Amino acid sequence: MNFELQNHRILVTGATSGIGLDIARTLAELGADLVLFGRNRDKLAELEQELGAHTLAIDITDETAVSMAFTDMPALNGLVNCAGISILDSVLDVKAKDLERIMTTNVTASAVVAREAARHMLAHGRQGSIVNVSSQAAMAALPDHLGYCASKAAMDAMTRVLCLELGPKGIRVNSVNPTVTLTPMAERAWSDPAKRDPMLAAIPLGRFATPREVALPVAFLLSQAASMVSGACLPVDGGFTSH
């Protein structure tokens, strides 16, 4: 069984930057027909040309807009919930409005997109796969990450419930839980040795992930090579959560 995704139509949220962009490019290489959600209209236009993707500029926290986006969408085989945000503060400085914003984007919006994607698959008689892009922050406490840790732990719980309810309908649901992933933004954020070196020391493999190293496990979970994998939260963290 190979990992190719020909004749698979897959929706990717958060596709215009970071991990989501690499996921979109990797899935396209494997033959997937892509539907991409994002906020950056110019980047979406570029991806239409580069990947032959169908794109939509959308705020996924707008439930009505998300529901309408599925009205005329061709039948899906998969979803990658990758859109997310992080706002960092110590527990003594955390703000309620920031916590609400993180949970709204990372949990509520992802749940709504998953709901609509599942409804869409079932309405078109499709079985398929949903992959939620979570984080090692769901599995381990990180300083200044109260809201982010809470939101990703909630995403993993959501994965398990979706697995339980959608499995009998032929839809598999899993999460991937990456460590620090060296997108251009992360490379800048982790450039200070005082911040970088302690985190690297906690990763048994001794390095951070590349976006490609996250995208390939996502592709595996979307493919029929993972046909008996559902409800898993897969660390892609170089061993960070092993201790």
Side-chain angles (χ1 to χ4, degrees):
M1 181 67 68
N2 61 40
F3 301 96
E4 294 180 353
L5 294 169
Q6 280 91 352
N7 302 316
H8 283 61
R9 181 172 290 108
I10 299 169
L11 168 62
V12 182
T13 71
T16 56
S17 63
I19 294 172
L21 179 57
D22 272 79
I23 288 172
R25 286 173 169 156
T26 297
L27 298 183
E29 288 176 20
L30 294 170
D33 181 13
L34 298 177
V35 181
L36 306 179
F37 284 4
R39 287 186 160 188
N40 186 328
R41 293 178 182 274
D42 291 340
K43 190 63 180 181
L44 287 172
E46 290 177 16
L47 292 172
E48 284 187 7
Q49 296 298 315
E50 177 188 347
L51 306 178
H54 308 278
T55 67
L56 180 64
I58 187 171
D59 177 1
I60 64 164
T61 67
D62 183 338
E63 183 176 7
T64 300
V66 169
S67 296
M68 290 180 61
F70 283 84
T71 302
D72 298 317
M73 189 181 295
L76 293 175
N77 302 93
L79 162 68
V80 182
N81 258 325
C82 194
I85 62 169
S86 177
I87 302 172
L88 305 184
D89 252 326
S90 75
V91 296
L92 299 180
D93 296 315
V94 70
K95 301 170 185 64
K97 64 180 179 62
D98 291 338
L99 293 175
E100 182 177 6
R101 185 180 169 201
I102 293 169
M103 297 299 287
T104 296
T105 302
N106 295 2
V107 184
T108 306
S110 293
V112 168
V113 174
R115 179 195 73 196
E116 292 300 316
R119 287 176 176 174
H120 193 74
M121 290 182 204
L122 297 174
H124 286 82
R126 296 288 182 94
Q127 298 184 343
S129 174
I130 295 172
V131 180
N132 295 318
V133 179
S134 183
S135 170
Q136 67 182 16
M139 302 176 169
L142 301 175
D144 301 328
H145 282 67
L146 175 61
Y148 190 72
C149 285
S151 72
K152 292 303 186 178
M155 175 173 270
D156 282 1
M158 179 176 74
T159 293
R160 290 186 287 271
V161 175
L162 290 170
C163 162
L164 183 67
E165 294 196 25
L166 296 178
K169 303 178 187 300
I171 299 174
R172 298 182 296 105
V173 188
N174 297 283
S175 292
V176 293
N177 297 65
T179 187
V180 175
T181 304
L182 292 177
T183 63
M185 183 178 294
E187 287 182 353
R188 293 190 296 272
W190 291 87
S191 60
D192 181 0
K195 178 180 180 181
R196 179 188 65 228
D197 293 351
M199 178 62 79
L200 285 173
I203 299 174
L205 289 185
R207 62 183 180 83
F208 296 142
T210 67
R212 180 78 166 184
E213 289 174 318
V214 179
L216 288 171
V218 170
F220 162 69
L221 291 171
L222 289 167
S223 77
Q224 281 302 299
S227 59
M228 194 56 182
V229 182
S230 195
C233 299
L234 175 63
V236 186
D237 65 355
F240 178 86
T241 55
S242 66
H243 56 85

